[in-house]
Amino acid sequence: MIFLRACKAFGHSQEAAIENALLQVSKKLIKSGYKILLYVWGSDREASKRLYDKLNDPLNVTYDPSLYSEEELIEKLSVSSLSINFKLHANILSLAGNVPCIALGYRFKVFDLFQSLGLENLVVSTDSDTLALDIMEGIREIELNNEKIIEQYKNRNEQFSPLIIEPIKNNFTVD
């Protein structure tokens, strides 16, 4: 199963191109035997529903308009092979649920996070002229290196967590 988070690309001049790329990729994945779950977060119902309607394949595509807590969403993600996400937090939840993801890079923060995790090859720029092909390359990377990707995330998480927690424990004071 592919967990796909479509999103209205607020202010993004490439919104139609992004939707078209997700449509192309979804159709290829369905032909390869994948099932797709489209989920929403906040104001993205319209974009997700529009993609669902364009796919027009209720046997292989599920549209879930429910809003879930982080824990519920991680649980839903856990049955997926991978996810494709537009928003940064959706990618973080995916990785936290041990599900490799393709991050659709629309802002520096997405590229920065994945660079810091050593997973920069899983970010696809939404400005790419070959967006659908780039997403498919990321999917192939995940299919070949699923366990390695999750292990990389876990290693970086273990490395960075103490650096985040220590200042909090010390009430943000420096010795």
PDB file of all heavy atoms in Angstrom, residues 53-82:
ATOM      1  N   ASP A  53     -10.854  11.507  -7.469  1.00  0.00           N
ATOM      2  CA  ASP A  53     -11.832  11.500  -8.563  1.00  0.00           C
ATOM      3  C   ASP A  53     -11.150  11.308  -9.914  1.00  0.00           C
ATOM      4  O   ASP A  53     -11.665  10.581 -10.768  1.00  0.00           O
ATOM      5  CB  ASP A  53     -12.649  12.794  -8.568  1.00  0.00           C
ATOM      6  CG  ASP A  53     -13.613  12.880  -7.380  1.00  0.00           C
ATOM      7  OD1 ASP A  53     -13.908  11.831  -6.769  1.00  0.00           O
ATOM      8  OD2 ASP A  53     -14.038  14.010  -7.067  1.00  0.00           O
ATOM      9  N   LYS A  54     -10.009  11.914 -10.116  1.00  0.00           N
ATOM     10  CA  LYS A  54      -9.288  11.772 -11.384  1.00  0.00           C
ATOM     11  C   LYS A  54      -8.744  10.360 -11.564  1.00  0.00           C
ATOM     12  O   LYS A  54      -8.696   9.854 -12.675  1.00  0.00           O
ATOM     13  CB  LYS A  54      -8.146  12.788 -11.473  1.00  0.00           C
ATOM     14  CG  LYS A  54      -8.629  14.202 -11.736  1.00  0.00           C
ATOM     15  CD  LYS A  54      -7.470  15.164 -11.859  1.00  0.00           C
ATOM     16  CE  LYS A  54      -7.969  16.566 -12.168  1.00  0.00           C
ATOM     17  NZ  LYS A  54      -6.857  17.522 -12.314  1.00  0.00           N
ATOM     18  N   LEU A  55      -8.339   9.736 -10.468  1.00  0.00           N
ATOM     19  CA  LEU A  55      -7.861   8.355 -10.561  1.00  0.00           C
ATOM     20  C   LEU A  55      -9.005   7.406 -10.886  1.00  0.00           C
ATOM     21  O   LEU A  55      -8.819   6.417 -11.583  1.00  0.00           O
ATOM     22  CB  LEU A  55      -7.165   7.935  -9.268  1.00  0.00           C
ATOM     23  CG  LEU A  55      -5.781   8.537  -9.057  1.00  0.00           C
ATOM     24  CD1 LEU A  55      -5.326   8.357  -7.621  1.00  0.00           C
ATOM     25  CD2 LEU A  55      -4.795   7.923 -10.027  1.00  0.00           C
ATOM     26  N   ASN A  56     -10.183   7.680 -10.346  1.00  0.00           N
ATOM     27  CA  ASN A  56     -11.388   6.927 -10.671  1.00  0.00           C
ATOM     28  C   ASN A  56     -11.159   5.415 -10.618  1.00  0.00           C
ATOM     29  O   ASN A  56     -11.437   4.689 -11.567  1.00  0.00           O
ATOM     30  CB  ASN A  56     -11.921   7.353 -12.052  1.00  0.00           C
ATOM     31  CG  ASN A  56     -13.317   6.814 -12.303  1.00  0.00           C
ATOM     32  OD1 ASN A  56     -14.077   6.577 -11.375  1.00  0.00           O
ATOM     33  ND2 ASN A  56     -13.633   6.624 -13.568  1.00  0.00           N
ATOM     34  N   ASP A  57     -10.637   4.948  -9.498  1.00  0.00           N
ATOM     35  CA  ASP A  57     -10.321   3.537  -9.331  1.00  0.00           C
ATOM     36  C   ASP A  57     -10.587   3.109  -7.884  1.00  0.00           C
ATOM     37  O   ASP A  57      -9.654   2.865  -7.117  1.00  0.00           O
ATOM     38  CB  ASP A  57      -8.850   3.295  -9.699  1.00  0.00           C
ATOM     39  CG  ASP A  57      -8.486   1.831  -9.757  1.00  0.00           C
ATOM     40  OD1 ASP A  57      -9.294   0.971  -9.317  1.00  0.00           O
ATOM     41  OD2 ASP A  57      -7.377   1.532 -10.227  1.00  0.00           O
ATOM     42  N   PRO A  58     -11.862   3.017  -7.496  1.00  0.00           N
ATOM     43  CA  PRO A  58     -12.179   2.711  -6.091  1.00  0.00           C
ATOM     44  C   PRO A  58     -11.712   1.333  -5.622  1.00  0.00           C
ATOM     45  O   PRO A  58     -11.629   1.097  -4.412  1.00  0.00           O
ATOM     46  CB  PRO A  58     -13.700   2.829  -6.024  1.00  0.00           C
ATOM     47  CG  PRO A  58     -14.177   2.753  -7.426  1.00  0.00           C
ATOM     48  CD  PRO A  58     -13.058   3.225  -8.301  1.00  0.00           C
ATOM     49  N   LEU A  59     -11.375   0.431  -6.539  1.00  0.00           N
ATOM     50  CA  LEU A  59     -10.845  -0.869  -6.128  1.00  0.00           C
ATOM     51  C   LEU A  59      -9.412  -0.772  -5.621  1.00  0.00           C
ATOM     52  O   LEU A  59      -8.990  -1.558  -4.781  1.00  0.00           O
ATOM     53  CB  LEU A  59     -10.902  -1.863  -7.294  1.00  0.00           C
ATOM     54  CG  LEU A  59     -12.304  -2.269  -7.742  1.00  0.00           C
ATOM     55  CD1 LEU A  59     -12.222  -3.155  -8.983  1.00  0.00           C
ATOM     56  CD2 LEU A  59     -13.043  -2.985  -6.620  1.00  0.00           C
ATOM     57  N   ASN A  60      -8.672   0.194  -6.141  1.00  0.00           N
ATOM     58  CA  ASN A  60      -7.259   0.315  -5.799  1.00  0.00           C
ATOM     59  C   ASN A  60      -6.896   1.593  -5.061  1.00  0.00           C
ATOM     60  O   ASN A  60      -5.775   1.732  -4.581  1.00  0.00           O
ATOM     61  CB  ASN A  60      -6.411   0.226  -7.069  1.00  0.00           C
ATOM     62  CG  ASN A  60      -6.501  -1.133  -7.700  1.00  0.00           C
ATOM     63  OD1 ASN A  60      -6.186  -2.137  -7.069  1.00  0.00           O
ATOM     64  ND2 ASN A  60      -6.967  -1.192  -8.935  1.00  0.00           N
ATOM     65  N   VAL A  61      -7.828   2.523  -4.986  1.00  0.00           N
ATOM     66  CA  VAL A  61      -7.562   3.809  -4.340  1.00  0.00           C
ATOM     67  C   VAL A  61      -8.642   4.081  -3.306  1.00  0.00           C
ATOM     68  O   VAL A  61      -9.829   4.008  -3.609  1.00  0.00           O
ATOM     69  CB  VAL A  61      -7.532   4.961  -5.373  1.00  0.00           C
ATOM     70  CG1 VAL A  61      -7.202   6.279  -4.691  1.00  0.00           C
ATOM     71  CG2 VAL A  61      -6.538   4.668  -6.499  1.00  0.00           C
ATOM     72  N   THR A  62      -8.200   4.397  -2.113  1.00  0.00           N
ATOM     73  CA  THR A  62      -9.110   4.769  -1.031  1.00  0.00           C
ATOM     74  C   THR A  62      -8.860   6.229  -0.685  1.00  0.00           C
ATOM     75  O   THR A  62      -7.717   6.661  -0.569  1.00  0.00           O
ATOM     76  CB  THR A  62      -8.856   3.903   0.221  1.00  0.00           C
ATOM     77  OG1 THR A  62      -9.037   2.536  -0.128  1.00  0.00           O
ATOM     78  CG2 THR A  62      -9.794   4.273   1.354  1.00  0.00           C
ATOM     79  N   TYR A  63      -9.942   6.948  -0.523  1.00  0.00           N
ATOM     80  CA  TYR A  63      -9.862   8.341  -0.082  1.00  0.00           C
ATOM     81  C   TYR A  63     -10.359   8.393   1.345  1.00  0.00           C
ATOM     82  O   TYR A  63     -11.484   7.989   1.632  1.00  0.00           O
ATOM     83  CB  TYR A  63     -10.713   9.230  -0.988  1.00  0.00           C
ATOM     84  CG  TYR A  63     -10.932  10.628  -0.457  1.00  0.00           C
ATOM     85  CD1 TYR A  63      -9.879  11.532  -0.368  1.00  0.00           C
ATOM     86  CD2 TYR A  63     -12.192  11.035  -0.035  1.00  0.00           C
ATOM     87  CE1 TYR A  63     -10.082  12.803   0.128  1.00  0.00           C
ATOM     88  CE2 TYR A  63     -12.397  12.308   0.460  1.00  0.00           C
ATOM     89  CZ  TYR A  63     -11.334  13.192   0.545  1.00  0.00           C
ATOM     90  OH  TYR A  63     -11.536  14.445   1.037  1.00  0.00           O
ATOM     91  N   ASP A  64      -9.529   8.864   2.258  1.00  0.00           N
ATOM     92  CA  ASP A  64      -9.894   8.932   3.662  1.00  0.00           C
ATOM     93  C   ASP A  64      -9.879  10.395   4.105  1.00  0.00           C
ATOM     94  O   ASP A  64      -8.815  10.964   4.345  1.00  0.00           O
ATOM     95  CB  ASP A  64      -8.916   8.120   4.505  1.00  0.00           C
ATOM     96  CG  ASP A  64      -9.344   8.012   5.955  1.00  0.00           C
ATOM     97  OD1 ASP A  64     -10.268   8.735   6.373  1.00  0.00           O
ATOM     98  OD2 ASP A  64      -8.740   7.202   6.681  1.00  0.00           O
ATOM     99  N   PRO A  65     -11.065  11.013   4.226  1.00  0.00           N
ATOM    100  CA  PRO A  65     -11.124  12.426   4.602  1.00  0.00           C
ATOM    101  C   PRO A  65     -11.036  12.674   6.107  1.00  0.00           C
ATOM    102  O   PRO A  65     -11.088  13.816   6.547  1.00  0.00           O
ATOM    103  CB  PRO A  65     -12.501  12.853   4.076  1.00  0.00           C
ATOM    104  CG  PRO A  65     -13.325  11.622   4.202  1.00  0.00           C
ATOM    105  CD  PRO A  65     -12.381  10.471   3.906  1.00  0.00           C
ATOM    106  N   SER A  66     -10.868  11.623   6.890  1.00  0.00           N
ATOM    107  CA  SER A  66     -10.816  11.775   8.344  1.00  0.00           C
ATOM    108  C   SER A  66      -9.532  12.466   8.778  1.00  0.00           C
ATOM    109  O   SER A  66      -8.489  12.309   8.155  1.00  0.00           O
ATOM    110  CB  SER A  66     -10.880  10.399   9.018  1.00  0.00           C
ATOM    111  OG  SER A  66     -12.029   9.706   8.619  1.00  0.00           O
ATOM    112  N   LEU A  67      -9.645  13.217   9.863  1.00  0.00           N
ATOM    113  CA  LEU A  67      -8.465  13.825  10.472  1.00  0.00           C
ATOM    114  C   LEU A  67      -8.067  12.962  11.658  1.00  0.00           C
ATOM    115  O   LEU A  67      -8.891  12.657  12.514  1.00  0.00           O
ATOM    116  CB  LEU A  67      -8.758  15.253  10.921  1.00  0.00           C
ATOM    117  CG  LEU A  67      -9.065  16.243   9.816  1.00  0.00           C
ATOM    118  CD1 LEU A  67      -9.396  17.614  10.399  1.00  0.00           C
ATOM    119  CD2 LEU A  67      -7.897  16.354   8.846  1.00  0.00           C
ATOM    120  N   TYR A  68      -6.805  12.559  11.707  1.00  0.00           N
ATOM    121  CA  TYR A  68      -6.321  11.667  12.744  1.00  0.00           C
ATOM    122  C   TYR A  68      -5.290  12.360  13.620  1.00  0.00           C
ATOM    123  O   TYR A  68      -4.598  13.274  13.177  1.00  0.00           O
ATOM    124  CB  TYR A  68      -5.676  10.422  12.114  1.00  0.00           C
ATOM    125  CG  TYR A  68      -6.644   9.584  11.327  1.00  0.00           C
ATOM    126  CD1 TYR A  68      -6.676   9.640   9.941  1.00  0.00           C
ATOM    127  CD2 TYR A  68      -7.531   8.733  11.975  1.00  0.00           C
ATOM    128  CE1 TYR A  68      -7.566   8.876   9.214  1.00  0.00           C
ATOM    129  CE2 TYR A  68      -8.429   7.958  11.254  1.00  0.00           C
ATOM    130  CZ  TYR A  68      -8.438   8.035   9.872  1.00  0.00           C
ATOM    131  OH  TYR A  68      -9.331   7.271   9.163  1.00  0.00           O
ATOM    132  N   SER A  69      -5.158  11.866  14.838  1.00  0.00           N
ATOM    133  CA  SER A  69      -4.079  12.326  15.711  1.00  0.00           C
ATOM    134  C   SER A  69      -2.772  11.758  15.148  1.00  0.00           C
ATOM    135  O   SER A  69      -2.778  10.881  14.279  1.00  0.00           O
ATOM    136  CB  SER A  69      -4.293  11.830  17.141  1.00  0.00           C
ATOM    137  OG  SER A  69      -4.100  10.417  17.187  1.00  0.00           O
ATOM    138  N   GLU A  70      -1.674  12.235  15.681  1.00  0.00           N
ATOM    139  CA  GLU A  70      -0.371  11.738  15.219  1.00  0.00           C
ATOM    140  C   GLU A  70      -0.258  10.231  15.425  1.00  0.00           C
ATOM    141  O   GLU A  70       0.198   9.509  14.540  1.00  0.00           O
ATOM    142  CB  GLU A  70       0.786  12.438  15.958  1.00  0.00           C
ATOM    143  CG  GLU A  70       0.865  13.913  15.742  1.00  0.00           C
ATOM    144  CD  GLU A  70      -0.045  14.705  16.681  1.00  0.00           C
ATOM    145  OE1 GLU A  70      -0.450  14.188  17.753  1.00  0.00           O
ATOM    146  OE2 GLU A  70      -0.389  15.834  16.316  1.00  0.00           O
ATOM    147  N   GLU A  71      -0.680   9.763  16.593  1.00  0.00           N
ATOM    148  CA  GLU A  71      -0.589   8.339  16.900  1.00  0.00           C
ATOM    149  C   GLU A  71      -1.455   7.512  15.950  1.00  0.00           C
ATOM    150  O   GLU A  71      -1.035   6.453  15.479  1.00  0.00           O
ATOM    151  CB  GLU A  71      -0.997   8.061  18.355  1.00  0.00           C
ATOM    152  CG  GLU A  71      -0.066   8.655  19.391  1.00  0.00           C
ATOM    153  CD  GLU A  71      -0.375  10.125  19.704  1.00  0.00           C
ATOM    154  OE1 GLU A  71      -1.436  10.635  19.291  1.00  0.00           O
ATOM    155  OE2 GLU A  71       0.467  10.762  20.361  1.00  0.00           O
ATOM    156  N   GLU A  72      -2.668   7.981  15.707  1.00  0.00           N
ATOM    157  CA  GLU A  72      -3.567   7.270  14.793  1.00  0.00           C
ATOM    158  C   GLU A  72      -3.003   7.249  13.375  1.00  0.00           C
ATOM    159  O   GLU A  72      -3.079   6.229  12.682  1.00  0.00           O
ATOM    160  CB  GLU A  72      -4.945   7.931  14.774  1.00  0.00           C
ATOM    161  CG  GLU A  72      -5.717   7.797  16.067  1.00  0.00           C
ATOM    162  CD  GLU A  72      -6.952   8.683  16.109  1.00  0.00           C
ATOM    163  OE1 GLU A  72      -6.930   9.806  15.557  1.00  0.00           O
ATOM    164  OE2 GLU A  72      -7.956   8.239  16.701  1.00  0.00           O
ATOM    165  N   LEU A  73      -2.428   8.349  12.957  1.00  0.00           N
ATOM    166  CA  LEU A  73      -1.873   8.424  11.611  1.00  0.00           C
ATOM    167  C   LEU A  73      -0.657   7.515  11.461  1.00  0.00           C
ATOM    168  O   LEU A  73      -0.522   6.810  10.456  1.00  0.00           O
ATOM    169  CB  LEU A  73      -1.503   9.867  11.270  1.00  0.00           C
ATOM    170  CG  LEU A  73      -1.279  10.184   9.814  1.00  0.00           C
ATOM    171  CD1 LEU A  73      -2.419   9.708   8.930  1.00  0.00           C
ATOM    172  CD2 LEU A  73      -1.053  11.678   9.628  1.00  0.00           C
ATOM    173  N   ILE A  74       0.194   7.472  12.463  1.00  0.00           N
ATOM    174  CA  ILE A  74       1.344   6.570  12.424  1.00  0.00           C
ATOM    175  C   ILE A  74       0.874   5.127  12.345  1.00  0.00           C
ATOM    176  O   ILE A  74       1.429   4.317  11.607  1.00  0.00           O
ATOM    177  CB  ILE A  74       2.282   6.805  13.637  1.00  0.00           C
ATOM    178  CG1 ILE A  74       3.033   8.130  13.455  1.00  0.00           C
ATOM    179  CG2 ILE A  74       3.261   5.651  13.803  1.00  0.00           C
ATOM    180  CD1 ILE A  74       3.851   8.547  14.658  1.00  0.00           C
ATOM    181  N   GLU A  75      -0.181   4.798  13.098  1.00  0.00           N
ATOM    182  CA  GLU A  75      -0.735   3.438  13.045  1.00  0.00           C
ATOM    183  C   GLU A  75      -1.248   3.115  11.642  1.00  0.00           C
ATOM    184  O   GLU A  75      -1.003   2.036  11.110  1.00  0.00           O
ATOM    185  CB  GLU A  75      -1.856   3.284  14.066  1.00  0.00           C
ATOM    186  CG  GLU A  75      -2.414   1.879  14.130  1.00  0.00           C
ATOM    187  CD  GLU A  75      -3.527   1.761  15.163  1.00  0.00           C
ATOM    188  OE1 GLU A  75      -3.459   2.422  16.207  1.00  0.00           O
ATOM    189  OE2 GLU A  75      -4.468   0.985  14.888  1.00  0.00           O
ATOM    190  N   LYS A  76      -1.955   4.052  11.027  1.00  0.00           N
ATOM    191  CA  LYS A  76      -2.459   3.842   9.661  1.00  0.00           C
ATOM    192  C   LYS A  76      -1.302   3.705   8.675  1.00  0.00           C
ATOM    193  O   LYS A  76      -1.360   2.905   7.749  1.00  0.00           O
ATOM    194  CB  LYS A  76      -3.365   4.987   9.236  1.00  0.00           C
ATOM    195  CG  LYS A  76      -4.712   4.951   9.907  1.00  0.00           C
ATOM    196  CD  LYS A  76      -5.723   5.635   9.027  1.00  0.00           C
ATOM    197  CE  LYS A  76      -7.113   5.254   9.399  1.00  0.00           C
ATOM    198  NZ  LYS A  76      -7.578   3.986   8.936  1.00  0.00           N
ATOM    199  N   LEU A  77      -0.258   4.506   8.870  1.00  0.00           N
ATOM    200  CA  LEU A  77       0.909   4.450   8.000  1.00  0.00           C
ATOM    201  C   LEU A  77       1.619   3.098   8.070  1.00  0.00           C
ATOM    202  O   LEU A  77       2.207   2.655   7.082  1.00  0.00           O
ATOM    203  CB  LEU A  77       1.920   5.529   8.395  1.00  0.00           C
ATOM    204  CG  LEU A  77       1.722   6.922   7.856  1.00  0.00           C
ATOM    205  CD1 LEU A  77       2.534   7.924   8.646  1.00  0.00           C
ATOM    206  CD2 LEU A  77       2.104   6.969   6.391  1.00  0.00           C
ATOM    207  N   SER A  78       1.587   2.472   9.229  1.00  0.00           N
ATOM    208  CA  SER A  78       2.403   1.276   9.471  1.00  0.00           C
ATOM    209  C   SER A  78       2.122   0.125   8.515  1.00  0.00           C
ATOM    210  O   SER A  78       2.955  -0.753   8.357  1.00  0.00           O
ATOM    211  CB  SER A  78       2.234   0.810  10.916  1.00  0.00           C
ATOM    212  OG  SER A  78       0.927   0.307  11.118  1.00  0.00           O
ATOM    213  N   VAL A  79       0.991   0.111   7.847  1.00  0.00           N
ATOM    214  CA  VAL A  79       0.695  -0.962   6.895  1.00  0.00           C
ATOM    215  C   VAL A  79       1.179  -0.627   5.483  1.00  0.00           C
ATOM    216  O   VAL A  79       1.028  -1.432   4.571  1.00  0.00           O
ATOM    217  CB  VAL A  79      -0.819  -1.285   6.847  1.00  0.00           C
ATOM    218  CG1 VAL A  79      -1.312  -1.735   8.208  1.00  0.00           C
ATOM    219  CG2 VAL A  79      -1.621  -0.102   6.340  1.00  0.00           C
ATOM    220  N   SER A  80       1.785   0.526   5.330  1.00  0.00           N
ATOM    221  CA  SER A  80       2.200   0.984   4.008  1.00  0.00           C
ATOM    222  C   SER A  80       3.635   0.608   3.692  1.00  0.00           C
ATOM    223  O   SER A  80       4.472   0.498   4.585  1.00  0.00           O
ATOM    224  CB  SER A  80       2.068   2.508   3.918  1.00  0.00           C
ATOM    225  OG  SER A  80       0.741   2.891   4.136  1.00  0.00           O
ATOM    226  N   SER A  81       3.916   0.452   2.411  1.00  0.00           N
ATOM    227  CA  SER A  81       5.274   0.201   1.938  1.00  0.00           C
ATOM    228  C   SER A  81       6.078   1.485   1.911  1.00  0.00           C
ATOM    229  O   SER A  81       7.288   1.474   2.127  1.00  0.00           O
ATOM    230  CB  SER A  81       5.255  -0.376   0.528  1.00  0.00           C
ATOM    231  OG  SER A  81       4.486  -1.535   0.470  1.00  0.00           O
ATOM    232  N   LEU A  82       5.391   2.579   1.596  1.00  0.00           N
ATOM    233  CA  LEU A  82       6.028   3.885   1.515  1.00  0.00           C
ATOM    234  C   LEU A  82       4.952   4.944   1.498  1.00  0.00           C
ATOM    235  O   LEU A  82       3.773   4.644   1.363  1.00  0.00           O
ATOM    236  CB  LEU A  82       6.913   4.005   0.276  1.00  0.00           C
ATOM    237  CG  LEU A  82       6.237   3.919  -1.098  1.00  0.00           C
ATOM    238  CD1 LEU A  82       6.033   5.309  -1.682  1.00  0.00           C
ATOM    239  CD2 LEU A  82       7.099   3.101  -2.035  1.00  0.00           C
TER     240      LEU A  82
END
